Amino acid sequence: MRAFECAYARYTSEPFALGQMLVVREGRYDTFGVVTGSESGPDDPSRPLVPRGDPGQSAAAVMASNPEIELLLRTTLTVAICGHIDREVARPVLPPMPPPLLAEVQAATNEEKVRVADEGRFLVPLLANPAADDAVVAAALREVAHAAGPGERPFLVAAGKELARLLKAEPSRLTSILRAVEP
Amino acid sequence: MTLRMDTVAAELPGLIARHEETRAAAGAAIEGARSALREWSDDPVAASARIEQALGGQAVPYALAEDDPAATCPAPAPGPVTVVGVDGSSITPDRFSTVRCYAINIGHALLPYGVAVEPSLDAIAEVGLDGDLLEGSGDMRQAPRGLATRLLRDVRELERGVELAVPAASAGPAVLLLDGTLLPWDLHTRQASDEALAPYRRRTIDALDRIRDCGEPLSMGAYISASAAREVVAALEVLAPPPPSAPPLTDGDVFRGLLSPGERSAIFHSRSSRRGSVESLLPGHDVALFYLRVADDIARVELPAWAATPIQVDRLHATLVDQCERCEGYPRALQEAHEQAVISAGDREQFERLLDRLAGDAGIRAPLNGKQQSKRRRSI
């Protein structure tokens, strides 16, 4: 309910970024979440990835000269749920039920990001998730601020106030996140 | 643990010592065989005539060289190529099963190197009833258990190779690799009727014809690691009969000292009576072969004689050496095809349980026989 995992069909060197807001548009609600981690490795754990390529050869060149590698690896993401849209109403709280298994996960639009973030209220479910560490929270704030366009500054002010309210007992964490949000 | 390790461990040192004695005795025999190879090389026409006169028409399988039998060829540099590897695995119909059903899983790896082709690793599976294997008017009911499934699997491997390699060859040079012998040996079996084998024979011919129609853009090779074949040795024994006490040699024993890593031998043509029988069933598809040294392994590579043109052989040779360098001494495309094809013990058990459950849902229940029931329960 608080998080889900999703995977690419194979290895990708450029997965969704840390803190990026994603959406699952299937099920009763559109479920939104923030990327908290990314991991790539062999699909078959009994076949470890061994070093390949020559000294000085780039990863892209190694992949190109060993075309099977990308097919044998997979990139997975962990996503912390931070809100949902229920009948056109954006709610920065956990949805009543999880998104369906095997549903497609997509990048949220800028308009969706701003609506779900709701002036920083999406920080409540996000901070409650242990996987959303300081780097994830700061990246998510930067992402929404960027999506807000001309509303970037007002969003950061509102979100900063919300963050201060939620972390009044953890001043050092608050400082850490705010520093990481600064461009 | 049911194997009495204390018993076998005591026996092993003696076995190893006996093995060493045999190896030492083989050294002289190998030297004799290489001397015979030099004699053959000095006068290939006369020596080949002697070999043919001695072995022609006999049951002993042997091989004749196309040119100099002692020739060694270094690997050409690999060029842009699409490599297609195909391998198969199967589940034989279980006579204890409620529904006697076979499963065949054909895996492939399609790996482009410098060619604009999409890579792929995948497998296709098919299932059928035991009775489906009894095609035409023939009957395989009397054939040994598993023969029909194995034959169908071998033919499907070849057909799958055609399905993938022929389109790949239209986009650029391509190499089709199979694991094992080029021709399905079971086509030659006397344990099934000609009528029963005819459909498999026809499908094999159709597949080979399609590969031949591709011409020079497509090379083809069947790769046998650590082959125990001794067709070249049989020919050499005509020229220099080994002492009666000499241990039997393989072709690999002879070529191991002749070939450097990456080198291949001359092209030979198989002349075994068994092979001849298969070839007589597959007119126009004679088998050529060469030996290839990969690290310490001497691999046997079989190819259709019509695919033994210099361009096709050079491409096959270069590709095999490059593929083996990528995969610790075995072609990468065959390794990945195997990984796609393999049916694990867990898969087999799951397949059996699924079949039993679905049969049970359909109201089909076969009484367990005593042996099966006892094995499943394993009670004390």
Side-chain angles (χ1 to χ4, degrees):
Chain A
M1 293 292 265
R2 296 182 183 280
F4 61 84
E5 282 193 7
C6 55
Y8 289 87
R10 59 173 75 168
Y11 169 74
T12 175
S13 59
E14 294 186 6
F16 290 129
L18 192 76
Q20 185 170 351
M21 193 182 290
L22 307 181
V23 58
V24 179
R25 299 183 206 280
E26 294 180 49
R28 284 183 60 180
Y29 315 98
D30 289 353
T31 305
F32 291 80
V34 164
V35 177
T36 57
S38 165
E39 193 174 355
S40 296
D43 220 12
D44 178 352
S46 69
R47 299 188 69 192
L49 181 64
V50 295
R52 299 272 196 101
D54 300 319
Q57 196 175 15
S58 70
V62 173
M63 290 290 188
S65 62
N66 297 277
E68 75 283 359
I69 296 180
E70 283 195 23
L71 306 178
L72 295 170
L73 303 178
R74 188 183 296 276
T75 300
T76 57
L77 300 175
T78 49
V79 179
I81 296 175
C82 65
H84 65 284
I85 291 181
D86 179 9
R87 285 167 291 189
E88 301 301 318
V89 179
R91 301 180 190 280
V93 295
L94 295 177
M97 56 186 67
L101 286 172
L102 301 177
E104 187 181 359
V105 180
Q106 302 168 325
T109 65
N110 284 348
E111 189 258 336
E112 286 171 331
K113 290 174 190 173
V114 174
R115 284 182 66 202
V116 171
D118 193 16
E119 298 183 325
R121 289 185 185 84
F122 80 133
L123 291 168
V124 177
L126 203 55
L127 288 172
N129 192 317
D133 60 17
D134 297 358
V136 170
V137 175
L141 287 170
R142 284 199 303 269
E143 156 113 347
V144 178
H146 181 72
E152 178 177 3
R153 184 74 190 161
F155 169 78
L156 284 174
V157 170
K161 289 179 180 173
E162 182 70 8
L163 197 62
R165 185 181 70 79
L166 293 169
L167 296 179
K168 64 184 175 190
E170 297 178 76
S172 60
R173 189 179 184 199
L174 174 65
T175 306
S176 167
I177 293 172
L178 289 176
R179 280 183 181 158
V181 172
E182 286 175 1
Chain B
M1 189 185 297
T2 53
L3 177 62
R4 291 293 302 270
M5 284 296 173
D6 53 341
T7 306
V8 298
E11 300 279 342
L12 289 179
L15 293 181
I16 291 168
R18 278 172 48 205
H19 171 76
E20 275 307 294
E21 285 170 18
T22 307
R23 265 181 26 127
I30 291 170
E31 197 41 56
R34 286 186 190 144
S35 170
L37 187 63
R38 284 191 291 274
E39 182 189 335
W40 191 357
S41 172
D42 289 342
D43 191 349
V45 176
S48 295
R50 273 177 65 194
I51 295 164
E52 272 205 289
Q53 190 177 14
L55 298 178
Q58 292 198 25
V60 179
Y62 67 104
L64 290 179
E66 202 167 84
D67 296 308
D68 176 3
T72 59
C73 306
V81 69
T82 300
V83 185
V84 177
V86 181
D87 197 13
S89 191
S90 55
I91 298 175
T92 300
D94 182 357
R95 67 191 174 97
F96 294 130
S97 181
T98 318
V99 179
R100 291 186 188 176
C101 178
Y102 70 84
I104 287 175
N105 199 40
I106 307 294
H108 82 260
L110 191 153
L111 304 175
Y113 300 92
V115 181
V117 171
E118 188 67 20
S120 71
L121 303 175
D122 208 347
I124 52 171
E126 59 185 61
V127 293
L129 293 174
D130 202 5
D132 297 344
L133 298 165
L134 314 173
E135 295 188 49
S137 57
D139 194 340
M140 282 214 178
R141 240 179 289 262
Q142 301 308 316
R145 187 170 164 264
L147 184 142
T149 313
R150 200 167 60 232
L151 189 51
L152 178 60
R153 184 192 67 202
D154 287 350
V155 172
R156 284 297 293 127
E157 283 180 27
L158 189 59
E159 290 176 335
R160 186 64 180 143
V162 170
E163 290 163 12
L164 295 160
V166 169
S170 67
V175 172
L176 170 60
L177 298 179
L178 302 174
D179 183 48
T181 59
L182 176 67
L183 304 178
W185 273 40
D186 292 318
L187 281 178
H188 178 63
T189 184
R190 292 174 185 165
Q191 292 168 310
S193 66
D194 278 350
E195 291 84 355
L197 295 171
Y200 300 101
R201 198 159 57 229
R202 190 190 62 243
R203 289 169 65 173
T204 303
I205 291 171
D206 287 349
L208 290 169
D209 283 347
R210 285 191 63 196
I211 295 168
R212 180 169 55 188
D213 290 346
C214 278
E216 287 205 325
L218 180 58
S219 299
M220 178 184 190
Y223 191 88
I224 308 162
S225 180
S227 162
R230 54 190 320 277
E231 290 162 275
V232 176
V233 166
L236 295 174
E237 287 176 350
V238 171
L239 304 177
S245 59
L249 302 181
T250 66
D251 293 349
D253 293 329
V254 176
F255 286 108
R256 182 164 285 108
L258 192 69
L259 300 173
S260 298
E263 286 185 339
R264 72 162 172 86
S265 71
I267 304 281
F268 291 85
H269 291 269
S270 188
R271 290 283 188 274
S272 76
S273 68
R274 176 188 172 87
R275 181 81 56 195
S277 294
V278 172
E279 285 167 352
S280 67
L281 298 171
L282 305 173
H285 299 297
D286 291 350
V287 176
L289 63 102
F290 61 80
Y291 286 92
L292 175 68
R293 177 153 179 195
V294 178
D296 285 335
D297 187 15
I298 300 294
R300 176 183 166 107
V301 181
E302 296 185 350
L303 61 157
W306 42 256
T309 66
I311 288 178
Q312 286 169 302
V313 170
D314 277 358
R315 186 189 301 123
L316 175 62
H317 183 189
T319 297
L320 283 172
V321 171
D322 181 57
Q323 285 282 294
C324 290
E325 283 174 357
R326 293 170 183 276
C327 195
E328 299 177 56
Y330 185 70
R332 169 63 70 185
L334 285 179
Q335 165 68 19
E336 297 304 339
H338 165 79
E339 292 289 345
Q340 297 295 316
V342 68
I343 302 176
S344 67
D347 292 338
R348 289 173 193 276
E349 192 174 329
Q350 196 175 354
F351 176 75
E352 190 182 324
R353 286 180 191 279
L354 179 65
L355 188 61
D356 279 353
R357 185 170 63 76
L358 294 176
D361 290 349
I364 304 168
R365 292 188 201 285
L368 292 176
N369 65 67
K371 181 177 179 180
Q372 186 187 21
Q373 193 161 344
S374 176
K375 277 186 168 179
R376 283 193 178 180
R377 187 169 296 157
R378 300 181 65 218
S379 56
I380 299 174

